[in-house]
Amino acid sequence: MNTDEIYMDRCIEIAQKGKFHVAPNPMVGCLFVSNDVIISEGYHQKYGGSHAEVNAYQSIPSDIDPKTCDVYVSLEPCSYHGKTPPCSDLLIKIKPNRVVIGCLDPNPKVSGAGIKALEDAGIHVIVGVLEERCEQLNKYFFKVQKFNLPFVTLKWAQTKNKFMARKSSSKESSKISDSRNDSYVHELRAIHQAILVGSNTVNTDDPLLNVRYSEGNDPLKVVLSPNLSVDCKKQLFSVGRTLIYNKTSNELFDNYQLIKIDPFNIEGILSDLFERGIHSILVEGGIQVIQSFLDSDLWDEAIVIESNNSWDDGQIAPLLNSSPVSLKQAYNDNITIYNKK
Ligand code: AOF
Ligand code: ZN
């Protein structure tokens, strides 16, 4: 890595400290560097709170002139008044030596306008340092800004011989993944704004779908139940809020809401969730629901947790025809991540 990349790598690292609190905003990290020394660091900590550039600027020691600094920031500085004022105005006021940017902000309200404002003010700007990693850091945000649809992560566990669930008549335990990976799964729940399952999963497993083994907030719960066969007495309905997508009814209850989608299809459901401000969804099953996302081609990433034990029979997991982008061993499981394309 060259010097600019080393500093950008640090921006990416500190940006991630905001991962449980900034959604649907992006995670952003920023450094002020002078004479090859990091003078201050800042990251976007909380949705609605000040941006990375402001936080970094505010921690510059009083004996340092920010004009002498190079500013590193993982996302193009914003150029419009949102919940906070434009970071490009702050940087123009400081007029640092250079501004080094990881990637463009895909938000149509910014999208190059932040860079233009800095350049028009005579600031030396460099764009595209560790660009792919900076974009990947905010893959949910990029998907939403470009396509007006939420980012969809499919997640399931399968045995070594590819069974994902027991036969419906079976009384045997259906737990597949190593319990030591529960914190990983719960972190996945916490970094998505919604968690989605089908009515069979609710009726059969009676899951809570909340975050218990990780830091972070509980996602909004979403149940697909085209014929309203879901049992609303199950425990997930006793806490938080749940949306039930179905073919026939719109109705509001204390803890859940029925939402009619006609014709009932994944695209209609995702558009409705997007309209409700949901930008990332973790699909946790079961087989039919995951298969319907695969069939409609409306998914972005699949995370498959494969245990090293086998079952005699069961229901076969979906088959993916994408190549894996990463594979890691975690306790007794292998976790493989696939991208749609
Ligand atoms: C930055 N630095 O740290 C972040 C940026 O409503 P606001 O004011 O919080 O603005 C949100 C938008 O600002 C968000 O959609 C994205 O375009 C940009 N995020 N920009 O310069 C930051 N988090
Ligand atoms: Zn900003």
Side-chain angles (χ1 to χ4, degrees):
M1 276 203 268
N2 64 35
T3 317
D4 281 351
E5 288 171 343
I6 290 169
Y7 289 129
M8 195 56 75
D9 184 61
R10 178 67 186 155
C11 288
I12 294 171
E13 188 179 337
I14 59 174
Q16 290 171 69
K17 294 185 188 180
K19 70 179 168 186
F20 294 122
H21 308 293
V22 299
N25 269 357
M27 293 173 262
V28 182
C30 176
L31 309 178
F32 280 71
V33 175
S34 178
N35 295 320
D36 235 346
V37 176
I38 298 177
I39 301 299
S40 71
E41 299 188 334
Y43 64 97
H44 186 39
Q45 298 182 357
K46 196 171 167 277
Y47 179 75
S50 50
H51 285 184
E53 296 90 322
V54 176
N55 290 334
Y57 174 66
Q58 283 171 347
S59 7
I60 298 175
S62 56
D63 58 333
I64 301 282
D65 180 0
K67 259 191 178 31
T68 64
C69 293
D70 284 356
V71 178
Y72 289 83
V73 59
S74 54
L75 185 75
E76 174 185 6
C78 66
S79 50
Y80 74 102
H81 283 267
K83 288 179 197 61
T84 66
C87 293
S88 59
D89 284 359
L90 171 72
L91 295 176
I92 288 166
K93 202 177 82 198
I94 300 169
K95 216 165 194 313
N97 194 32
R98 284 192 316 159
V99 176
V100 182
I101 296 170
C103 63
L104 246 83
D105 184 342
N107 181 344
K109 291 183 191 145
V110 185
S111 190
I115 293 167
K116 184 170 184 306
L118 298 178
E119 283 176 337
D120 287 351
I123 296 172
H124 182 189
V125 181
I126 298 202
V127 188
V129 175
L130 300 185
E131 187 172 28
E132 222 179 295
R133 282 184 53 208
C134 288
E135 290 182 1
Q136 195 59 21
L137 170 71
N138 288 307
K139 55 192 174 188
Y140 307 164
F141 181 73
F142 271 75
K143 166 82 190 280
V144 168
Q145 297 297 330
K146 288 186 175 166
F147 300 102
N148 284 349
L149 279 176
F151 187 99
V152 174
T153 306
L154 309 178
K155 185 234 107 192
W156 71 86
Q158 61 189 31
T159 62
K160 202 181 171 81
N161 55 348
K162 318 290 179 212
F163 290 123
M164 180 185 161
R166 295 286 186 188
K167 291 244 159 81
S168 45
S169 54
S170 170
K171 296 270 174 295
E172 289 180 272
S173 159
S174 58
K175 177 84 175 163
I176 296 176
S177 60
D178 190 319
S179 300
R180 288 169 294 181
N181 287 322
D182 287 353
S183 59
Y184 169 75
V185 172
H186 281 229
E187 178 170 327
L188 282 177
R189 290 179 173 182
I191 61 173
H192 288 81
Q193 284 180 273
I195 181 166
L196 184 150
V197 296
S199 52
N200 285 342
T201 298
V202 176
N203 293 350
T204 313
D205 300 351
D206 196 10
L208 279 163
L209 305 180
N210 61 4
V211 177
R212 301 186 295 286
Y213 309 120
S214 159
E215 198 189 322
N217 298 325
D218 291 343
L220 170 73
K221 292 164 288 184
V222 177
V223 177
L224 305 194
S225 186
N227 300 315
L228 285 175
S229 55
V230 64
D231 176 357
C232 293
K233 297 207 170 54
K234 291 294 185 187
Q235 55 176 350
L236 75 89
F237 295 106
S238 59
V239 268
R241 214 163 70 84
T242 305
L243 306 181
I244 302 175
Y245 284 97
N246 69 91
K247 281 199 267 199
T248 47
S249 303
N250 278 311
E251 207 173 334
L252 189 59
F253 294 86
D254 282 351
N255 293 342
Y256 61 93
Q257 183 174 356
L258 306 183
I259 300 166
K260 176 178 170 179
I261 297 286
D262 187 21
F264 193 81
N265 59 41
I266 299 293
E267 189 171 8
I269 293 162
L270 292 180
S271 301
D272 187 83
L273 284 164
F274 167 75
E275 296 299 332
R276 291 169 196 274
I278 298 299
H279 292 182
S280 56
I281 302 169
L282 180 67
V283 179
E284 277 207 20
I287 294 179
Q288 273 176 25
V289 168
I290 287 181
Q291 195 60 54
S292 58
F293 275 87
L294 291 171
D295 292 345
S296 61
D297 221 20
L298 289 167
W299 61 285
D300 297 282
E301 188 172 283
I303 301 178
V304 181
I305 306 178
E306 189 170 296
S307 69
N308 68 2
N309 59 315
S310 295
W311 287 351
D312 291 339
D313 66 0
Q315 302 181 55
I316 305 219
L319 196 63
L320 284 170
N321 54 7
S322 311
S323 11
V325 288
S326 86
L327 170 69
K328 71 171 179 191
Q329 167 119 38
Y331 302 108
N332 285 325
D333 300 333
N334 279 315
I335 302 179
T336 312
I337 301 182
Y338 300 82
N339 283 349
K340 193 174 75 181
K341 42 185 168 26

